[in-house]
Amino acid sequence: MGIPVRKRPGKCSDGGVVTQTVSKAMASRAGPIAGSLALGALLAMLGGCGMSSLTSGIGSGWFGGGGKSGDASVDQDKLLAAAKTQGGAGGSGDVAYGCPRFQVWSRDGYVTIYEPGRVGDGLAVMHRGEITKTARECSVEDGRVTVKYGFSGRVLLGQKGRTGRVTLPVNVFVTDSKRQKINSTSMRVTVDVAVDNPIGYFSVVREVTFPVPEGARPGEFEVYVGFDRNVPGAG
């Protein structure tokens, strides 16, 4: 399957989108270990070429789409399917009138976990988490806004990773027109990965409700999601 990697301009980037392909047929002929090594090699390449400036896009990219407004349906199964197929349901770059925008915070749409003491070493990647799809819808009533938001993504097993369950912490928070946090929630995403199944997928759908002061507009608020990097080995 193709893994699109979006690079920001820099010495390792031409500003475009590069697709690295790990062939399932090749992995099948070479065996599960070789398939995992191929994926590990890709992660090592990313780590050695400015991994901190990379994001992975699916469909329309980072932004969620938008009485009730927003995406037609914020559905956990659709978001999960979109993460697996790298396209499809949920999400657009449009800003719906009166609906707070939902997007990934800065560079926290991904996190790479390295072996202890080897953060930044492309040959020491244990696993990498990526948020690749977002969607939201909202309702406004009596000076309050309720945003139903969803996000999905994947965890890739690195060449130093182990078979088993991977859990990564995620933060979701709301900012007002002055970009001050007015609400914050922490949660975790969990997937199972193995040498012969090195990519696990996750999806989350939640709601957040917050007041809109008199004189303010709901569209001035924003909801953000991102991985929590305050964990051992995160880079």
Side-chain angles (χ1 to χ4, degrees):
M1 63 183 291
I3 302 178
V5 178
R6 185 174 299 280
K7 296 186 176 183
R8 294 188 177 90
K11 67 179 181 179
C12 293
S13 169
D14 60 2
V17 176
V18 180
T19 299
Q20 300 291 333
T21 301
V22 180
S23 169
K24 289 186 177 180
M26 182 182 297
S28 175
R29 291 194 296 269
I33 294 178
S36 180
L37 289 176
L39 180 59
L42 171 59
L43 289 172
M45 179 200 71
L46 296 179
C49 191
M51 181 175 283
S52 64
S53 67
L54 301 181
T55 61
S56 176
I58 283 183
S60 57
W62 291 104
F63 298 98
K68 178 179 287 187
S69 61
D71 295 305
S73 175
V74 180
D75 182 86
Q76 190 165 356
D77 291 336
K78 290 180 180 179
L79 281 163
L80 185 62
K84 292 180 179 180
T85 60
Q86 300 192 12
S92 74
D94 297 333
V95 179
Y97 176 78
C99 188
R101 187 166 56 175
F102 177 48
Q103 57 182 320
V104 175
W105 176 253
S106 186
R107 294 184 299 177
D108 290 343
Y110 64 90
V111 64
T112 304
I113 306 299
Y114 299 87
E115 286 189 317
R118 300 181 66 184
V119 172
D121 184 347
L123 299 178
V125 176
M126 297 183 66
H127 47 265
R128 173 183 170 101
E130 301 177 343
I131 298 172
T132 57
K133 192 73 175 177
T134 62
R136 61 87 166 85
E137 61 186 28
C138 67
S139 59
V140 182
E141 126 179 75
D142 297 331
R144 300 180 68 82
V145 178
T146 297
V147 179
K148 181 180 181 182
Y149 62 86
F151 61 91
S152 60
R154 61 189 181 181
V155 175
L156 297 87
L157 186 67
Q159 65 185 76
K160 294 297 183 178
R162 306 184 185 93
T163 294
R165 182 155 292 182
V166 175
T167 299
L168 295 172
V170 174
N171 295 322
V172 176
F173 58 93
V174 181
T175 63
D176 60 16
S177 60
K178 298 178 180 178
R179 293 179 68 84
Q180 298 295 315
K181 290 184 181 180
I182 63 169
N183 184 291
S184 182
T185 302
S186 296
M187 62 191 73
R188 296 178 180 274
V189 295
T190 301
V191 304
D192 292 315
V193 290
V195 172
D196 58 350
N197 186 27
I199 304 177
Y201 297 91
F202 61 85
S203 66
V204 175
V205 172
R206 299 283 176 86
E207 286 188 356
V208 60
T209 300
F210 52 90
V212 178
E214 185 176 353
R217 293 176 298 178
E220 296 174 340
F221 293 77
E222 294 184 300
V223 184
Y224 292 95
V225 60
F227 285 107
D228 187 345
R229 295 175 178 269
N230 295 317
V231 294

